[in-house]
């Protein structure tokens, strides 16, 4: 693992998720550039001294030469390190799981894809919500035509972190406030990409064009919100709103998939259920873990209905899929990454194209159709 020391947020979630699958071990890491944090994390996880690395460059160099080199690296650093760290490990022939946003520009994404291909590497991107069993159920129901042809998607991702920071005068958000470390986009790249990735994951559609107005909190260079009208492939229209300055919201991700025969609603804070509404029929609340679920999505259920699952299980599903691809690759099988279910580098690139288009549309006050 690179990044994700014991005091970090998402690195701990990755480790808990990987442990749930019992098929991978944490054996090496550069968890922090701070020596004390690095050593504490290595002590906590029993990392051998010879695999306690002060820099990610040293880790990539040294691991490449070992007979028992790592199979894959997890990148859970601030955004500006995703590209150089991923590039280096791919060049050493090591598979990569990387946090979102994949990188800063679409060009960097295309390069990473090419390097992964040249070195025979798999590449997963942790768009967390694509790992939720009920998002995967929605995908199967849409595929099965249960709501007919999807014409419209409405997606919201509302938090209030940036508002709380402003009101308290806190700078606790650290690297996220710094464009050199966070990237050219704030909220759009941080949570907007989650809305777009779930829409694409469930419908199979990608953005053709969009119109976007960004929102800013006074004194901040990076956006704290994005109001987007999007046109997806396959004639699907979208209204998306991402905000980290919406008072009172914790982690409200809600997506409506509106078809010509019915509608599905997924709400992340109530993620063990999926609402199905059809014309002239009673509203149904589908419960995660019940036998009426599709067999494909039941495969992603870890606990019986009524025992709530959440973020960690979603990450664990993504890691299980990724490990399955690695095991098949080790057996010499031909790999089509999309078939395993984890979000691939193509989805990572789409996310970067998405926030790039949003910035372009906002700046030009126009509809953006091309990068
Ligand atoms: N998928 C999701 O739902 C989700 C949720 C939260 C964060 N994230 C993403 O995860 C990433 C990390 O976010 P976070 O909230 O955990 O941040 P964080 O600041 O809590 O953790 C960052 C970690 O990177 C380490 N680090 C910094 N520079 C380093 C270097 N040069 N070498 C090695 N390690 C270094 C820090 O020591 C720390 O451990 C971001 O890209 C963020 O967008 C994704």
């Amino acid at each position: 693992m690179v990044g994700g020391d014991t005091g970090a947020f998402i690195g701990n979630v990755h480790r808990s998720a990987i442990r749930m699958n019992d098929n991978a071990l944490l054996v090496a890491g550069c968890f922090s550039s701070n020596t004390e944090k690095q050593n504490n994390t290595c002590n906590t996880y029993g990392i051998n001294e010879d695999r306690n690395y002060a820099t990610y460059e040293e880790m990539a160099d040294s691991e490449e030469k070992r007979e028992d080199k790592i199979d894959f690296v997890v990148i859970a650093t601030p955004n500006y390190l995703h590209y150089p760290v991923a590039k280096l490990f791919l060049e050493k022939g090591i598979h990569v799981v990387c946090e979102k946003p994949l990188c800063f520009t679409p060009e960097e994404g295309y390069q990473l894809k090419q390097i992964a291909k040249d070195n025979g590497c798999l590449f997963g991107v942790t768009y967390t919500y694509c790992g939720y069993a009920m998002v995967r159920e929605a995908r199967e129901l849409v595929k099965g035509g249960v709501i007919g042809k999807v014409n419209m998607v409405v997606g919201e991702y509302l938090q209030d972190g940036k508002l709380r920071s402003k009101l308290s005068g806190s700078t606790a958000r650290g690297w996220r406030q710094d464009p050199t470390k966070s990237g050219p986009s704030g909220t759009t790249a941080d949570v907007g990409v989650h809305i777009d990735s779930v829409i694409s994951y469930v419908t199979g559609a990608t953005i053709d064009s969009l119109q976007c107005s960004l929102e800013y909190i006074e004194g901040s260079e990076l956006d704290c919100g994005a109001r987007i009208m999007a046109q997806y492939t396959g004639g699907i229209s979208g209204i998306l709103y991402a905000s980290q300055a919406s008072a009172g919201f914790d982690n409200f991700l809600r997506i409506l998939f509106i078809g010509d025969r019915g509608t599905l609603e997924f709400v992340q804070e109530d993620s063990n259920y999926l609402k199905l509404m059809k014309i002239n029929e009673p509203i149904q609340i589908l419960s995660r873990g019940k036998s009426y679920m599709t067999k494909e999505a039941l495969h992603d259920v870890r606990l019986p209905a009524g025992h709530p699952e959440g973020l960690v299980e979603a990450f664990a599903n993504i890691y299980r899929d990724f490990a399955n691809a690695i095991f098949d690759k080790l057996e010499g099988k031909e790999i089509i990454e999309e078939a395993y279910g984890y979000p691939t580098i193509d989805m990572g690139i789409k996310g970067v194209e998405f926030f790039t288009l949003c910035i372009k549309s906002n700046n030009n006050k126009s509809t953006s159709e091309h990068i």
Side-chain angles (χ1 to χ4, degrees):
M1 180 174 276
V2 178
D5 67 60
T6 45
F9 167 37
I10 211 68
N12 284 317
V13 179
H14 284 259
R15 283 188 291 269
S16 302
I18 292 168
R19 282 197 297 271
M20 269 189 177
N21 292 321
D22 279 335
N23 60 6
L25 288 176
L26 177 65
V27 292
C30 171
F31 304 98
S32 176
S33 51
N34 173 302
T35 309
E36 195 184 341
K37 289 181 180 178
Q38 168 67 10
N39 289 337
N40 284 343
T41 308
C42 285
N43 288 339
T44 302
Y45 291 101
I47 305 296
N48 282 345
E49 199 48 47
D50 63 335
R51 296 179 110 171
N52 168 346
Y53 297 109
T55 67
Y56 70 85
E57 290 95 337
E58 186 192 329
M59 176 171 162
D61 281 344
S62 169
E63 286 297 322
E64 183 196 20
K65 296 186 188 101
R66 293 178 70 105
E67 253 182 46
D68 62 346
K69 74 170 182 180
I70 52 172
D71 293 295
F72 69 100
V73 65
V74 175
I75 303 173
T77 61
N79 302 346
Y80 74 106
L81 289 167
H82 295 176
Y83 171 75
V85 178
K87 180 171 181 290
L88 190 57
F89 279 86
L90 291 173
E91 285 167 349
K92 307 288 184 190
I94 294 168
H95 307 304
V96 171
V97 174
C98 185
E99 262 302 347
K100 45 51 62 178
L102 175 64
C103 48
F104 284 7
T105 64
E107 289 69 29
E108 288 177 347
Y110 308 144
Q111 283 173 28
L112 289 178
K113 183 175 172 176
Q114 189 60 47
I115 300 167
K117 189 171 171 225
D118 292 345
N119 290 281
C121 290
L122 306 174
F123 201 119
V125 178
T126 41
Y127 285 128
T128 324
Y129 304 104
C130 301
Y132 278 81
M134 292 318 259
V135 167
R136 292 178 171 207
E137 176 70 349
R139 178 153 98 147
E140 295 306 320
L141 295 179
V142 167
K143 247 192 241 170
V146 170
I147 58 168
K149 182 191 172 315
V150 178
N151 290 320
M152 181 76 202
V153 287
V154 179
E156 304 151 293
Y157 199 151
L158 310 180
Q159 301 177 331
D160 70 1
K162 287 193 178 173
L163 197 57
R164 280 186 281 120
S165 301
K166 179 185 155 62
L167 292 177
S168 66
S170 153
T171 52
R173 297 184 65 80
W175 62 263
R176 281 186 163 83
Q177 298 285 64
D178 175 355
T180 64
K181 295 193 167 153
S182 188
S185 162
T187 295
T188 316
D190 201 20
V191 299
V193 296
H194 280 303
I195 308 175
D196 178 55
S197 64
V198 173
I199 290 171
S200 289
Y201 192 77
V202 169
T203 64
T206 54
I207 283 187
D208 257 346
S209 62
L210 59 76
Q211 249 186 311
C212 172
S213 296
L214 298 175
E215 299 173 347
Y216 291 87
I217 282 184
E218 208 187 321
S220 173
E221 275 180 74
L222 294 169
D223 58 277
C224 70
R227 302 187 291 257
I228 302 159
M229 283 208 295
Q231 198 55 53
Y232 281 83
T233 52
I236 302 176
S237 301
I239 295 180
L240 282 56
Y241 182 45
S243 166
Q244 290 175 312
S246 288
F249 284 95
D250 293 331
N251 208 47
F252 185 79
L253 170 66
R254 181 180 82 134
I255 307 198
L256 292 167
F257 301 93
I258 305 173
D260 57 13
R261 288 183 28 218
T263 292
L264 285 165
E265 180 191 53
F266 173 76
V267 179
Q268 191 277 147
E269 289 175 345
D270 199 14
S271 61
N272 289 270
Y273 302 97
L274 187 62
K275 193 191 261 188
L276 172 61
M277 295 169 277
K278 296 184 83 171
I279 301 167
N280 288 334
E281 289 185 24
I283 293 172
Q284 294 184 57
I285 306 293
L286 308 179
S287 182
R288 180 197 48 73
K290 289 283 174 62
S291 59
Y292 51 68
M293 280 178 70
T294 60
K295 75 171 186 334
E296 289 81 2
L298 265 177
H299 173 69
D300 297 301
V301 168
R302 289 164 182 267
L303 295 170
H307 292 288
E309 288 183 0
L311 187 76
V312 185
E313 286 84 359
F315 266 96
N317 286 339
I318 291 173
Y319 273 108
R320 182 209 51 213
D321 298 341
F322 191 73
N324 285 341
I326 292 183
F327 290 132
D328 282 351
K329 196 163 175 66
L330 288 172
E331 283 182 18
K333 292 185 186 156
E334 186 78 25
I335 307 295
I336 297 167
E337 289 192 82
E338 289 70 26
Y340 287 83
Y342 61 85
T344 63
I345 192 161
D346 283 329
M347 285 186 67
I349 292 171
K350 284 287 169 207
V352 182
E353 289 178 346
F354 168 73
F355 69 70
T356 305
L357 281 177
C358 287
I359 296 170
K360 195 171 154 189
S361 167
N362 178 73
N363 293 350
N364 298 342
K365 305 212 173 340
S366 67
T367 302
S368 287
E369 294 181 15
H370 304 288
I371 301 299

